Amino acid sequence: MKDWLTVAMPKGRIFTEAAEMLRMAGFELPPEFDDSRKLIIDVPEECFRFILAKPMDVPTYVEYGVADLGIAGKDVMLEEERDVYELLDLQISACYLAVAGLPHTQMNDVAPKIATKYPNVAAAYFREQGEQVEIIKLNGSIELAPLIGLADRIVDIVSTGRTLKENGLIEYEDIVNITSRLIVNPVSYRMKDARISDVVERLTEVIEQEKVVK
Ligand code: PRP
């Protein structure tokens, strides 16, 4: 009997690309998969259970083993530092983390304020730069912070660059390139080896095909 696999999917921007990739790998996913408020979707034909989580929480579900596999952005992996293995760079949802702010502004000399959804990544980055900063954790709309004087700079994801541009902000430094990763719980990786290898092989083929197309 085939092992069931539970996969933690990130709700939001990565979801559509990740679902498309699974379909390209030959997994039959029902139409309700794309347009549902359900948080758990079983696909018995494929022996898959999908759980739909907040992107930042995906590695947590995988670390605790309630999901065998997960799809998570590298940004989330760097921020969360969970005890999971990264199996594949899916090369979808490419973007990068950057330091941004208002143009022509110096950072405050004493403990400049940095607003971000990524307090650990931002703290590590400025530590490496030898700069003492105060990190202010926000949960979204980070670009607002320098506009209304909450922070000198932000550390945030840049994808198309539209949010920065439309809010009159500029990039000061790139921190790291980001793509989505397939991650696995270490115990599941041993116990459900055959099924997980099949998923990895099929997704690898899609990644290779996409490279040829590009
Ligand atoms: C993300 C990110 C930026 C924006 C970048 O926010 O935090 O704000 O997207 O994308 P762009 O370069 O294509 O404009 P998201 O839309 O996920 O919402 P949030 O602000 O609530 O985090």
Side-chain angles (χ1 to χ4, degrees):
M1 249 203 21
K2 218 161 137 180
D3 282 321
W4 271 69
L5 283 182
T6 301
V7 184
M9 295 284 284
K11 289 201 284 186
R13 330 184 145 217
I14 305 175
F15 185 87
T16 313
E17 276 185 83
E20 193 189 337
M21 199 162 185
L22 288 167
R23 287 194 172 106
M24 284 169 79
F27 298 112
E28 299 278 339
L29 306 178
E32 69 160 351
F33 197 67
D34 307 272
D35 188 23
S36 166
R37 302 291 292 175
K38 273 194 182 172
L39 300 173
I40 300 178
I41 300 178
D42 285 339
V43 185
E45 305 76 22
E46 298 283 3
C47 294
F48 269 131
R49 162 168 282 187
F50 291 94
I51 60 174
L52 275 58
K54 281 277 182 195
M56 202 64 98
D57 295 335
V58 166
T60 308
Y61 290 101
V62 176
E63 181 184 80
Y64 282 89
V66 292
D68 302 299
L69 293 171
I71 294 179
K74 185 69 186 175
D75 51 333
V76 169
M77 298 297 290
L78 292 170
E79 180 62 26
E80 287 286 308
E81 290 191 329
R82 293 284 170 178
D83 189 8
V84 299
Y85 298 154
E86 254 184 63
L87 289 179
L88 276 181
D89 179 349
L90 298 171
Q91 294 174 28
I92 54 172
S93 304
C95 55
Y96 56 97
L97 269 174
V99 179
L102 285 166
H104 318 298
T105 52
Q106 297 289 331
M107 289 220 285
N108 226 327
D109 283 347
V110 187
K113 294 192 181 75
I114 311 293
T116 186
K117 249 190 303 196
Y118 303 94
N120 294 328
V121 176
Y125 176 75
F126 285 102
R127 209 166 34 242
E128 273 165 29
Q129 305 295 308
E131 291 183 56
Q132 276 219 325
V133 298
E134 180 184 342
I135 304 286
I136 301 176
K137 164 84 179 3
L138 293 176
N139 292 303
S141 302
I142 314 299
E143 291 81 359
L144 196 53
L147 299 179
I148 54 157
L150 177 66
D152 298 275
R153 296 281 189 266
I154 61 171
V155 167
D156 200 18
I157 291 289
V158 182
S159 175
T160 61
R162 206 175 140 199
T163 312
L164 287 183
K165 194 157 181 255
E166 291 191 8
N167 290 290
L169 301 174
I170 59 162
E171 274 172 54
Y172 282 94
E173 286 138 62
D174 284 2
I175 301 182
V176 62
N177 286 332
I178 306 291
T179 45
S180 299
R181 311 298 161 110
L182 180 71
I183 60 173
V184 67
N185 172 274
V187 176
S188 303
Y189 195 39
R190 270 187 277 123
M191 307 293 284
K192 299 183 179 177
D193 167 50
R195 272 227 69 193
I196 290 173
S197 299
D198 173 61
V199 174
V200 169
E201 274 166 34
R202 287 161 74 168
L203 288 171
T204 304
E205 272 174 37
V206 177
I207 296 166
E208 295 300 321
Q209 278 164 21
E210 289 295 289
K211 270 191 204 153
V212 175
V213 174
K214 278 177 192 160

